[in-house]
Amino acid sequence: MIKFFLIVFSIFSLSAQTMRSPMDRKKDIIRDFNFKNYVISDIQNDSLRVLSYVSIPNASLQFLKENDKFISNYEITITLKNDDDELIGRKNWSNKILTNSYLESISKEISTLHFHEFKIPSGKYSITSELADIETRESKIKLKKIELDAKSKVEIYSMFIIDSLDGFWGLNQNELPLFNNIFPSQSDFITFFVSGKIEPGNFNLDISITNAGRDKIWDNSIDINSKKNSFVKRILLPKDVLSSGLRKMITVNISQNKSKDKKNLIFASKRAGIASSIGSMDQAIASMRYILQDKEWKEFKKANKDDRELIFLDYWSKKDPTPTTKENELQNEYFKRVEFANSNFKGYKEGWDSQMGMIYILFGRPDDVEEYNDPIGRYYQQRWHYYKVNKFFDFVDENGFGQYKLTTPFFHGQVW
């Protein structure tokens, strides 16, 4: 019978090594950084503004101890090229970070933000960000595409929720886009930003917000008259949309005469005690079936909607390995695995509900993966190795459709 301590063990063993996706076995020193780009109208002239942001958590860098301090040196470069691979613009920074403690040096919450603005006409572009760690001489590149239709009469460029941070970041003073689209529930208001292209004259913006169940929780229609061929609009959203479900979708429709465009933005409300990767409480509880005992599963099934959330919070608070901190590392890791499984193992079922998803959720990323592929016979096999718990699991895809089945005997008992 699978015990909960297996998950606890595998979670804390992750901190001792760099674990990769089974499909990607390269070992990077630089783990990750955020690279975001937003195209907005320049209301002063006919060009477009590309607002580029690079956010680098301390945990992504290699720190060296010098005396009683920890120091990291890195370079970051943003490069913009057009569709013909011609250089349009470039910005480079060299930076040194000094921390007072080891915990600060490995923090995912402490980040350094870099911002640069490019001005461009409509067209197709590629924009890259390269982070180079001076200490390890390792680098990582992220590539984004920008495609703006010069022939369209109506087009939505970027839309985002506005966050706040001291300084100038391309918008109004102390404003910047909310990069991760996770909004704190204690916020007093929500400002939504949308920008795009229109023809001079009247046009309409239809804005609606739906929850994870696609139920409409708010909508508004705005008629606007513009003397220019672009627009920038800030819309104050009601705070109560944050309390309606965990994950929401904003849909914007713009129409002018017979020309139309539509875009969606998914954002989440952050609530104390609930991992930010959770978008639906019902889906989160369903994916917990691998770790719930019979009586716990029945308690969830019998409870009404409001009580299920309370039972969820109580369950995870008892499992919190560090109850004195704000974060529940065990819950965060569990639902990060669920999210990964949904993204990588989805087929006829949700990824968490697949057999690969089950093993990944319970044991984490494998230490090693052996693959055997026979495209002619349409036979594919993977063996996942977990050295620390002395286990391996064999998966076979007999049809070549990516539907891997677990062939290793595995009995987890009646856990739901």
Side-chain angles (χ1 to χ4, degrees):
M1 183 175 182
I2 288 296
K3 301 293 185 182
F4 202 86
F5 75 83
L6 279 177
I7 298 176
V8 178
F9 175 83
S10 59
I11 286 171
F12 285 98
S13 68
L14 286 175
S15 61
Q17 56 183 312
T18 303
M19 303 290 285
R20 301 293 297 174
S21 160
M23 309 306 171
D24 179 8
R25 296 172 220 158
K26 294 181 181 179
K27 186 175 181 180
D28 292 333
I29 299 297
I30 297 177
R31 284 170 284 279
D32 202 10
F33 64 96
N34 295 317
F35 181 41
K36 299 290 185 179
N37 298 278
Y38 303 91
V39 177
I40 65 174
S41 302
D42 188 341
I43 58 175
Q44 302 300 327
N45 52 56
D46 291 335
S47 64
L48 299 172
R49 303 171 62 204
V50 180
L51 308 182
S52 294
Y53 305 87
V54 182
S55 178
I56 308 168
N58 284 359
S60 297
L61 301 169
Q62 179 70 44
F63 282 78
L64 298 180
K65 187 174 182 181
E66 292 187 10
N67 299 321
D68 59 343
K69 305 291 185 180
F70 294 84
I71 298 175
S72 177
N73 290 277
Y74 67 87
E75 289 187 356
I76 188 78
T77 304
I78 301 177
T79 304
L80 178 67
K81 294 184 178 182
N82 63 18
D83 202 32
D84 295 323
D85 204 36
E86 298 172 333
L87 180 66
I88 303 300
R90 176 175 288 154
K91 177 64 178 178
N92 176 267
W93 297 267
S94 294
N95 197 27
K96 175 187 287 187
I97 300 178
L98 182 68
T99 66
N100 295 316
S101 70
Y102 172 72
L103 290 179
E104 287 182 25
S105 73
I106 62 171
S107 172
K108 295 180 181 179
E109 307 301 323
I110 302 175
S111 300
T112 304
L113 181 63
H114 298 274
F115 162 71
H116 187 67
E117 177 180 331
F118 300 96
K119 290 193 175 183
I120 59 171
S122 294
K124 295 181 179 181
Y125 301 87
S126 63
I127 184 165
T128 60
S129 177
E130 180 176 8
L131 174 60
D133 192 311
I134 303 302
E135 308 300 342
T136 62
R137 298 186 179 180
E138 297 284 339
S139 65
K140 186 169 186 176
I141 298 176
K142 289 195 172 184
L143 169 67
K144 307 288 184 179
K145 294 289 187 179
I146 297 174
E147 296 188 7
L148 303 165
D149 188 357
K151 296 181 180 180
S152 66
K153 295 181 179 180
V154 169
E155 184 177 6
I156 299 173
Y157 294 145
S158 289
M159 54 190 200
F160 48 81
I161 293 171
I162 293 179
D163 199 1
S164 62
L165 183 68
D166 290 344
F168 179 74
W169 308 101
L171 301 170
N172 291 338
Q173 190 70 20
N174 303 334
E175 286 186 347
L176 78 166
L178 183 68
F179 302 137
N180 59 8
N181 291 333
I182 301 173
F183 211 83
S185 58
Q186 67 270 21
S187 300
D188 294 327
F189 58 87
I190 311 166
T191 302
F192 177 64
F193 182 100
V194 58
S195 176
K197 175 172 67 173
I198 43 88
E199 294 184 313
N202 296 319
F203 67 97
N204 176 265
L205 281 179
D206 276 323
I207 305 164
S208 63
I209 302 178
T210 54
N211 59 22
R214 298 300 176 95
D215 300 318
K216 186 177 290 187
I217 56 180
W218 185 84
D219 65 341
N220 192 17
S221 181
I222 306 172
D223 293 318
I224 304 173
N225 181 275
S226 175
K227 296 179 180 180
K228 300 182 178 181
N229 57 4
S230 65
F231 73 94
V232 169
K233 185 69 177 177
R234 283 175 167 81
I235 300 158
L236 198 62
L237 304 179
K239 183 183 177 181
D240 57 10
V241 303
L242 294 174
S243 60
S244 180
L246 295 172
R247 188 165 295 178
K248 274 80 65 174
M249 182 169 69
I250 302 177
T251 301
V252 175
N253 286 278
I254 182 172
S255 59
Q256 185 179 46
N257 300 322
K258 295 183 179 181
S259 301
K260 297 180 180 180
D261 196 15
K262 175 182 177 180
K263 276 193 177 179
N264 297 319
L265 174 71
I266 294 176
F267 75 103
S269 305
K270 186 173 183 179
R271 293 197 208 166
I274 300 178
S276 58
S277 58
I278 296 175
S280 164
M281 183 57 63
D282 288 340
Q283 292 177 7
I285 293 171
S287 67
M288 288 168 59
R289 72 184 195 186
Y290 302 127
I291 56 174
L292 293 176
Q293 302 294 327
D294 281 339
K295 61 180 181 180
E296 293 169 333
W297 180 248
K298 290 177 181 177
E299 186 179 11
F300 274 114
K301 295 293 285 183
K302 290 180 180 178
N304 60 38
K305 183 177 181 180
D306 293 332
D307 288 342
R308 280 199 297 271
E309 185 169 317
L310 295 175
I311 297 170
F312 177 92
L313 293 170
D314 182 62
Y315 175 87
W316 284 105
S317 67
K318 292 176 181 177
K319 308 294 184 182
D320 191 348
T322 56
T324 58
T325 64
K326 293 182 179 179
E327 297 294 325
N328 186 328
E329 295 82 0
L330 191 62
Q331 182 194 146
N332 289 344
E333 178 62 27
Y334 187 88
F335 288 105
K336 280 181 182 177
R337 294 182 184 184
V338 171
E339 185 177 41
F340 183 91
N342 284 337
S343 298
N344 291 273
F345 309 131
K346 188 173 183 178
Y348 300 118
K349 301 179 179 180
E350 289 294 318
W352 70 265
D353 200 17
S354 68
Q355 293 180 333
M356 270 190 168
M358 175 185 67
I359 296 300
Y360 185 89
I361 290 169
L362 288 173
F363 293 93
R365 294 183 177 182
D367 298 307
D368 192 21
V369 176
E370 294 180 59
E371 291 182 279
Y372 172 78
N373 298 326
D374 179 11
I376 297 176
R378 300 182 72 179
Y379 183 87
Y380 302 85
Q381 181 177 6
Q382 290 188 23
R383 173 171 287 187
W384 292 8
H385 290 275
Y386 293 90
Y387 298 129
K388 282 185 168 53
V389 291
N390 195 28
K391 287 183 178 293
F392 67 83
F393 299 96
D394 289 325
F395 300 92
V396 173
D397 174 14
E398 297 177 339
N399 300 310
F401 297 134
Q403 302 298 314
Y404 282 90
K405 294 182 179 179
L406 179 66
T407 59
T408 304
F410 178 64
F411 304 97
H412 46 70
Q414 188 67 26
V415 294
W416 66 86

